[in-house]
Amino acid sequence: MGTRLDVVMPDVEPAHGRAVFQSIADEVARLEGRLSRFRRTSFVTRINLEAGDRPVRLDEEMWSLLTRCAELHRRTSGAFDVTVLPLLQLWGFTGEHPPDKRPSAAEILSVRDRVGMEKLIFDATSAAVRFSVDGMKIDFGAVGKGLALERVEVILRESGIASALVNFGDSSILVVGPHPLGGPWPIGVRRSDEDPTVLHTWATMDTAISSSGGANQSMTIDGSSYGHVVDPRTGVPTDAGVLVSVLATSAVEAEALSTALTVLDSPADVLRNFDAQGVAVDRDDRVSSYGVRRVV
Amino acid sequence: MSEPRPLSRRDFLTQVSWVAAAAPWFVPLMTTSAYAQDEPIRVGLVGVGSRGTKLLLHLQTIPGVVVAAVCDNYSPNLVDAARRADGARRFTDYRALLDAQEVDALVIATPPSSHADISCAAMRTGCDVFCEKVMALTIEDCDRMMRVRQETGRRLQIGFQRLFDVRYVAAIEAVRAGRIGPITHMKAHWHRNDDWRRPVRDPRLERQINWRLYRDLSGGPIAELAAHQIVTSNWILGERPSRMTGFGGVNFWKDGRETHDNASVMFEYPGGALLTQTSLLSNRRDGVVEQVIGPEGSIELEAGRYFPEAVPPSPAIVQLLRDLKMGLLRTVPLGGPSWVTPEGSEASGSYLVDDARIPSPTQLELEVFVNSVRTETSLPELLNESYRASLAVVLANRAVDEGRVVAWAEAGSP
């Protein structure tokens, strides 16, 4: 998944810990093999290659994930969208060279025609999906780590691990059980390793944190700095200085919400529909809280 | 953007006080008498072509050094050097220079075939000698230089400037600190894309000007290029090769030259590590690279960059583990934007020497030489590295010429 995975399991016998970690690593690798659009043989690659021409039948895991994403799309007023990839490509956020100049409004509109989960045609009878517009693409990049964390949580609980912290590249964190010294784990949110000033602290226990911001993946075009999240509704990237962090009981929802909150004008209205809390930090480090119930 | 300011000597000595363990030949730089300006050191230069001129310019920046004589049998070079070294006497024969007895030290930058004769004559007349690498083209000549040095008690330093490169010293520190694990392999190449020729105005001067292309004057790319990488390999591994082999020939610049335009040599060390080295004159894309490789990481010496095999741990996770061990409950600054596997850092590594404004290795080697002359300090470790590398070059060329594996024992040296 292009990042590192840390699993901290205090007070676990080392051999057992190694076995649990191996199970986790295997599951993460399996999921990546299915969900990565960079893998030629992944399920996502197959969908992207075939769903424009004909319905692609999904297995239970893929059907569950895609329909869940569609539901999150609706509940976030369209701000979370797994079909946003063509816009990310237009802006050069997918490894291609960034454009020399800002894409024109006409270019953005043209690409936006190929974006939107409402343009996916689901057939519940055959558990199949089809693109209603040519050139659509699916990318689970904004939610894949959340799904992996949910699977990791199952492995941890089935392995009898009562207390653990799982960190997927700092942006996706899962905490299982209490801190070894009791109570929630205090997890700070900061802009980067290089700037570790804590801007907000979450009290986490049996919850997931997802953070999103441009510090590590921003780009500059024509002198303007853009964050790597593109609003699927407008086709325009966010301010690179904005950092969003969400605490939720569901890791997948935390992922979807951290992306959605980055582009939403009224985050509180959306967060109200979830068992989640959020903070947004602007480029001047001013923190706005949404539904935060407990501050450490 | 302006060029970085070179480190001041004080900065450098402060920063690299740890150098002495890995490179004891730096010690003369750290002595207080090193820059005393009592008696000037009178230096003569023999061979003032491109390398010799570079040495001349460096010498002129060292306090207390007077370039008293320049010598070359190619008049344009001699005229140019005399113009740069105001007041220096001109000679066309090194023997006349030595007979004049006007210099304390001789700096030699002639073709390697002449190193032994000039060095030995200089030491016998009481001069200390700085001689460009390699020592000589035969084991007998290398041994002769060592023997005369021993008999005369003069100082003999060979110009392997990589031994004075702070990045290499930092690499040794990193290796000793276990950052790459045990060294399993050294990989080096020196690729350029030119015919290695200098323009010749008179065909009778061809061999004199283009000495690198003729085997009785030069050891070819193995002596001129690979030698730098062999000396660092020996230095970092702390041993000399036990045997060597290789291939080489002329496959592109078929202009009558006798030395290789491509060569690939392999050295096996007693500890089991290998050095594989390639010299090429027909493609420059890979340039000059020297890698030290181990199971935990690798180091690119010439760039001073370190490439760990494993992804570095998150600093916040490191803090969390430490807190858990100490029974501390405090906020861990972990959450934030996605940490992306650093393709950039895989490509560029992390720098071992913080300050990129490192001193010129050539400047340092000459300062060490001058100070060792002034303080009458011998640097046996430095000479030993140079001697072992020079022998390895001779043996590697022999292996290529004869198409066989050559054992170190053929050098007749421990």
Side-chain angles (χ1 to χ4, degrees):
Chain A
M1 298 200 181
T3 190
R4 62 188 161 208
L5 169 67
D6 304 297
V7 183
V8 179
M9 295 176 278
D11 304 324
V12 173
E13 195 271 320
H16 183 47
R18 280 193 292 274
V20 173
F21 181 81
Q22 191 57 54
S23 301
I24 289 170
D26 291 347
E27 176 62 5
V28 169
R30 186 192 70 81
L31 277 176
E32 184 171 23
R34 307 208 79 204
L35 300 183
S36 173
R37 68 181 172 84
F38 298 105
R39 299 284 179 90
R40 197 166 47 84
T41 55
S42 76
F43 214 115
V44 168
T45 298
R46 204 184 128 211
I47 294 172
N48 287 340
L49 285 174
E50 299 177 9
D53 298 328
R54 54 185 172 275
V56 175
R57 291 189 69 153
L58 308 180
D59 61 21
E60 189 178 339
E61 183 175 57
M62 294 302 296
W63 175 261
S64 168
L65 177 61
L66 201 53
T67 53
R68 197 174 172 193
C69 288
E71 185 200 345
L72 289 168
H73 175 71
R74 282 191 294 275
R75 291 171 69 193
T76 59
S77 306
F80 168 74
D81 196 319
V82 295
T83 68
V84 76
L85 183 61
L87 283 168
L88 293 172
Q89 290 174 324
L90 174 69
W91 285 90
F93 282 115
T94 51
E96 295 88 353
H97 291 296
D100 296 331
K101 58 184 177 57
R102 192 184 193 278
S104 68
E107 287 173 313
I108 293 170
L109 270 177
S110 167
V111 173
R112 220 183 64 193
D113 284 345
R114 295 187 271 129
V115 171
M117 289 199 76
E118 69 281 358
K119 298 185 179 96
L120 296 178
I121 302 169
F122 289 95
D123 179 351
T125 312
S126 59
V129 68
R130 181 171 186 178
F131 298 152
S132 66
V133 178
D134 278 348
M136 290 186 74
K137 287 194 174 80
I138 282 175
D139 175 20
F140 289 116
V143 78
K145 286 188 276 190
L147 181 66
L149 284 180
E150 290 190 354
R151 298 293 164 79
V152 170
E153 181 175 3
V154 172
I155 292 171
L156 288 168
R157 294 195 188 284
E158 287 179 351
S159 304
I161 305 296
S163 172
L165 180 145
V166 184
N167 174 38
F168 246 129
D170 309 346
S171 63
S172 307
I173 299 164
L174 170 76
V175 168
V176 172
H179 190 281
L181 297 176
W185 302 58
I187 305 295
V189 178
R190 81 294 186 260
R191 288 203 180 272
S192 67
D193 282 347
E194 291 73 35
D195 181 10
T197 307
V198 173
L199 302 166
H200 179 76
T201 298
W202 293 115
T204 55
M205 187 159 69
D206 298 322
T207 43
I209 301 168
S210 175
S211 304
S212 181
N216 295 342
Q217 292 166 282
S218 62
M219 72 159 64
T220 301
I221 307 171
D222 279 347
S224 297
S225 180
Y226 296 99
H228 71 290
V229 176
V230 175
D231 188 338
R233 301 162 307 172
T234 64
V236 176
T238 52
D239 179 350
V242 173
L243 171 66
V244 164
S245 188
V246 169
L247 177 79
T249 47
S250 155
V252 167
E253 290 182 6
E255 293 289 296
L257 286 169
S258 69
T259 302
L261 257 63
T262 307
V263 301
L264 280 169
D265 294 327
S266 307
D269 295 341
V270 168
L271 270 175
R272 214 167 285 130
N273 302 325
F274 294 87
D275 184 10
Q277 311 165 47
V279 292
V281 186
D282 69 13
R283 59 171 56 244
D284 297 319
D285 287 351
R286 286 187 295 255
V287 180
S288 303
S289 303
Y290 307 103
V292 174
R293 292 187 286 273
R294 177 172 178 174
V295 176
V296 176
Chain B
M1 199 164 63
S2 61
E3 283 294 303
R5 178 183 61 87
L7 274 185
S8 72
R9 182 156 290 95
R10 182 183 298 276
D11 290 341
F12 169 66
L13 292 178
T14 304
Q15 287 193 9
V16 296
S17 57
W18 40 268
V19 161
W25 43 88
F26 275 86
V27 168
L29 282 180
M30 300 170 190
T31 57
T32 51
S33 64
Y35 301 100
Q37 305 227 358
D38 29 52
E39 283 291 307
I41 303 291
R42 299 168 302 164
V43 177
L45 273 105
V46 182
V48 282
S50 60
R51 182 65 184 167
T53 299
K54 187 168 186 182
L55 297 176
L56 167 64
L57 296 175
H58 278 288
L59 283 165
Q60 288 177 318
T61 69
I62 300 175
V65 168
V66 172
V67 177
V70 289
C71 175
D72 206 300
N73 57 7
Y74 183 57
S75 62
N77 285 352
L78 182 59
V79 169
D80 186 55
R83 183 179 56 77
R84 293 174 190 275
D86 189 28
R89 278 190 69 186
R90 299 184 195 188
F91 294 89
T92 56
D93 188 318
Y94 74 90
R95 286 164 289 214
L97 187 158
L98 293 174
D99 286 345
Q101 297 199 332
E102 292 173 355
V103 297
D104 307 304
L106 199 66
V107 171
I108 301 167
T110 58
S113 56
S114 60
H115 286 175
D117 286 347
I118 302 174
S119 296
C120 291
M123 288 188 282
R124 290 211 183 280
T125 60
C127 279
D128 292 321
V129 170
F130 177 98
C131 178
E132 266 304 319
K133 70 94 186 74
V134 287
M135 288 181 85
L137 297 181
T138 65
I139 288 166
E140 294 70 25
D141 276 351
C142 292
D143 286 343
R144 178 156 60 101
M145 291 168 77
M146 296 294 277
R147 193 170 59 248
V148 172
R149 188 209 68 81
Q150 180 77 27
E151 289 168 3
T152 61
R154 305 316 306 173
R155 269 143 289 284
L156 173 63
Q157 183 175 327
I158 308 300
F160 281 105
Q161 69 265 25
R162 273 168 169 69
L163 298 174
F164 293 86
D165 193 318
V166 176
R167 290 168 296 195
Y168 289 65
V169 181
I172 289 183
E173 284 292 309
V175 168
R176 289 181 179 175
R179 293 178 72 181
I180 66 168
I183 297 172
T184 53
H185 197 85
M186 309 274 297
K187 191 169 82 176
H189 52 252
W190 197 311
H191 292 183
R192 45 195 289 171
N193 194 349
D194 59 69
D195 62 4
W196 227 8
R197 281 189 171 280
R198 300 280 164 86
V200 179
R201 57 187 170 88
D202 180 344
R204 287 172 297 181
L205 299 174
E206 162 65 13
R207 289 169 53 83
Q208 187 177 344
I209 303 297
N210 286 313
W211 54 268
R212 287 184 182 82
L213 309 183
Y214 299 96
R215 278 304 298 268
D216 57 337
L217 302 172
S218 159
I222 295 175
E224 294 300 313
L225 307 178
H228 288 297
Q229 303 176 320
I230 295 167
V231 78
T232 52
S233 180
N234 292 352
W235 176 30
I236 287 172
L237 286 166
E239 53 188 7
R240 57 12 173 216
S242 49
R243 55 183 186 154
M244 56 220 82
T245 192
F247 296 94
V250 178
N251 65 8
F252 184 72
W253 298 107
K254 297 175 182 176
D255 54 3
R257 71 184 57 207
E258 298 167 2
T259 57
H260 308 134
D261 66 3
N262 73 103
S264 189
V265 285
M266 185 180 286
F267 301 81
E268 183 185 62
Y269 286 81
L274 298 182
L275 163 65
T276 53
Q277 195 281 342
T278 304
S279 304
L280 193 64
L281 302 187
S282 56
N283 187 293
R284 66 172 171 269
R285 182 169 184 273
D286 287 343
V288 180
V289 172
E290 291 145 30
Q291 295 178 330
V292 190
I293 298 167
E296 308 296 327
S298 57
I299 295 171
E300 279 188 0
L301 295 169
E302 82 296 342
R305 292 181 302 191
Y306 167 61
F307 301 80
E309 281 284 279
V311 171
S314 158
I317 290 290
V318 172
Q319 182 202 312
L320 173 61
L321 295 177
R322 201 167 49 231
D323 289 353
L324 289 172
K325 199 171 180 180
M326 297 169 66
L328 277 175
L329 176 59
R330 58 172 174 159
T331 298
V332 179
L334 180 60
S338 188
W339 185 89
V340 181
T341 302
E343 289 174 22
S345 79
E346 283 173 3
S348 61
S350 58
Y351 285 87
L352 290 169
V353 181
D354 286 344
D355 198 328
R357 299 168 300 165
I358 55 172
S360 154
T362 298
Q363 177 78 15
L364 288 181
E365 68 175 348
L366 287 170
E367 290 191 10
V368 163
F369 174 65
V370 168
N371 292 335
S372 69
V373 170
R374 192 192 304 279
T375 58
E376 299 187 346
T377 307
S378 288
L379 301 168
E381 298 93 346
L382 178 60
L383 184 58
N384 192 40
E385 290 293 357
S386 306
Y387 175 59
R388 297 194 307 184
S390 298
L391 293 185
V393 166
V394 174
L395 295 177
N397 262 325
R398 183 183 294 175
V400 172
D401 290 344
E402 299 177 9
R404 64 184 178 93
V405 175
V406 171
W408 180 264
E410 291 189 26
S413 169

